[in-house]
Amino acid sequence: MDYSKVKSLYGDEKEFAYKLKDRVKKELGFTVNIGIGNNKLQAKMASELEKPNKINTIAATNTQPITFWKKFLTMTTYKILIKFFLHQGA
C-alpha cells in the first residue's frame, strides 16, 4: 500500500508496520512479512529478504546495495529452482 497518504494519521512507517504485524498475529493467528521501500518494487524486494514474520526496509540511501542484491538474487534463484524441481516431479 502507498503509506505516504496516511503517514500523517499513523506516524512512522516502521512503528506502524510492527503494530500491524502484531495485530494480524493476535487477531488472525498468522504471521506476515512487511517490506518498506521508496516504491512498490523496493517494498516487495524488502518483504522477500527474510522470512517468516519480519519487517525489512530498503531505501535509496542504503549503504549496502551490493549485499542486498547478492542476497535477493540468491533467494530468488533458490525459489525458482525449488519451483522448477517441484513442478518437474509433479
Side-chain angles (χ1 to χ4, degrees), residues 13 16-22 24 32-36 43 46-48 50 53-57:
E13 296 90 347
F16 179 75
Y18 280 102
K19 289 177 186 176
L20 180 63
K21 178 178 77 73
D22 294 341
V24 168
V32 295
N33 289 331
I34 299 176
I36 301 171
S47 72
E48 296 290 328
E50 284 184 79
N53 205 27
K54 302 286 183 179
I55 295 172
N56 292 297
T57 304

Side-chain angles (χ1 to χ4, degrees), residues 48-50 66-76:
E48 296 290 328
L49 280 175
E50 284 184 79
I66 293 173
T67 303
F68 161 74
W69 281 108
K70 283 172 81 175
K71 187 172 185 179
F72 178 74
L73 291 175
T74 301
M75 291 174 59
T76 303

Side-chain angles (χ1 to χ4, degrees), residues 3-61:
Y3 190 77
S4 63
K5 295 175 182 166
V6 295
K7 185 172 182 171
S8 62
L9 295 172
Y10 298 109
D12 181 67
E13 296 90 347
K14 280 189 177 181
E15 289 178 23
F16 179 75
Y18 280 102
K19 289 177 186 176
L20 180 63
K21 178 178 77 73
D22 294 341
R23 187 169 176 184
V24 168
K25 177 68 174 170
K26 181 180 176 184
E27 293 182 18
L28 302 175
F30 57 87
T31 61
V32 295
N33 289 331
I34 299 176
I36 301 171
N38 293 330
N39 56 48
K40 287 182 183 181
L41 176 60
Q42 286 182 345
K44 176 64 177 164
M45 290 173 12
S47 72
E48 296 290 328
L49 280 175
E50 284 184 79
K51 291 187 177 192
N53 205 27
K54 302 286 183 179
I55 295 172
N56 292 297
T57 304
I58 295 177
T61 58

